[in-house]
């Protein structure tokens, strides 16, 4: 019954899910900027919202690294939503922070969701020096091959690259 961005979004998502329970809800990043909520609470609010809306998957944008890897790590450890980044390597501290992809099933079809982070993130934000943002095309090719070998019917590239780059990448990578 409330109003406001996240409340309205939750109401819209709940309405869609009530009519169509096979929804795949994805977030392509940059949850860390744009509001005073982030300035005050950092990634805590973003993690709560992702969890409340029960996203299927999340891939980080460049702004998730504006405050280095520590805040990103804290956010990932807090959320229950799978954080996908096939072309990101971070040194492990405990369990790995991200996964390259997940497989979900809807109406008997296997759907692979691959996360890709912008390769330019080191020049767009302030990640820790240990973070390696690898080539997106190589990561996607490897992910598609692995997912197809597992019998995945549909592959979704969940990216923070920009629409033009997404279209070019989809044109170069079969599957």
């Amino acid at each position: 019954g409330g109003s406001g961005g996240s409340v309205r979004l939750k109401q819209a998502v709940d309405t869609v899910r009530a009519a169509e329970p096979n929804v795949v809800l994805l977030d392509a990043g940059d949850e860390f900027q744009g509001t005073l909520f982030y300035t005050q609470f950092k990634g805590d609010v973003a993690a709560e919202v992702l969890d409340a809306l029960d996203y299927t998957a999340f891939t980080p944008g460049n702004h998730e690294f504006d405050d280095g890897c520590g805040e990103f790590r804290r956010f990932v450890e807090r959320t229950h939503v799978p954080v996908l980044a096939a072309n990101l390597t971070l040194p492990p501290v405990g369990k790995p922070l991200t996964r390259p992809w997940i497989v979900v099933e809807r109406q008997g079809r296997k759907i692979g969701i691959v996360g890709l982070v912008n390769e330019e993130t080191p020049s767009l934000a302030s990640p820790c020096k240990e973070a390696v943002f690898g080539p997106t095309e190589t990561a996607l090719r490897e992910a598609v091959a692995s997912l197809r070998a597992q019998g995945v019917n549909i592959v979704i590239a969940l990216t923070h690259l920009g629409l033009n780059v997404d279209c070019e990448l989809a044109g170069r990578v079969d599957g």
Side-chain angles (χ1 to χ4, degrees), residues 16-76:
V16 170
R17 282 188 173 135
E20 176 51 66
N22 290 299
V23 168
V24 175
L25 183 62
L26 306 172
D27 189 304
D30 278 0
E31 287 292 329
F32 277 29
Q33 290 296 328
T35 69
L36 292 175
F37 286 110
Y38 179 75
T39 303
Q40 180 65 35
F41 302 109
K42 300 297 180 191
D44 292 345
V45 170
E48 285 184 37
V49 170
L50 289 176
D51 289 349
L53 273 70
D54 194 24
Y55 275 84
T56 307
F58 171 86
T59 198
N62 50 290
H63 286 299
E64 273 72 38
F65 297 94
D66 282 348
D67 290 326
C69 294
E71 187 58 36
F72 175 67
R73 180 176 301 283
R74 204 169 83 90
F75 160 77
V76 173

Side-chain angles (χ1 to χ4, degrees), residues 69-92:
C69 294
E71 187 58 36
F72 175 67
R73 180 176 301 283
R74 204 169 83 90
F75 160 77
V76 173
E77 290 172 348
R78 183 145 202 255
T79 186
H80 297 101
V81 174
V83 178
L84 309 179
N87 66 317
L88 173 64
T89 305
L90 283 169

Side-chain angles (χ1 to χ4, degrees), residues 131-159:
V132 176
F133 297 82
T136 54
E137 187 170 337
T138 302
L140 184 57
R141 282 185 195 285
E142 292 171 0
V144 168
S146 182
L147 290 166
R148 293 294 186 196
Q150 296 175 45
V152 167
N153 305 106
I154 300 167
V155 177
I156 298 171
L158 176 60
T159 82

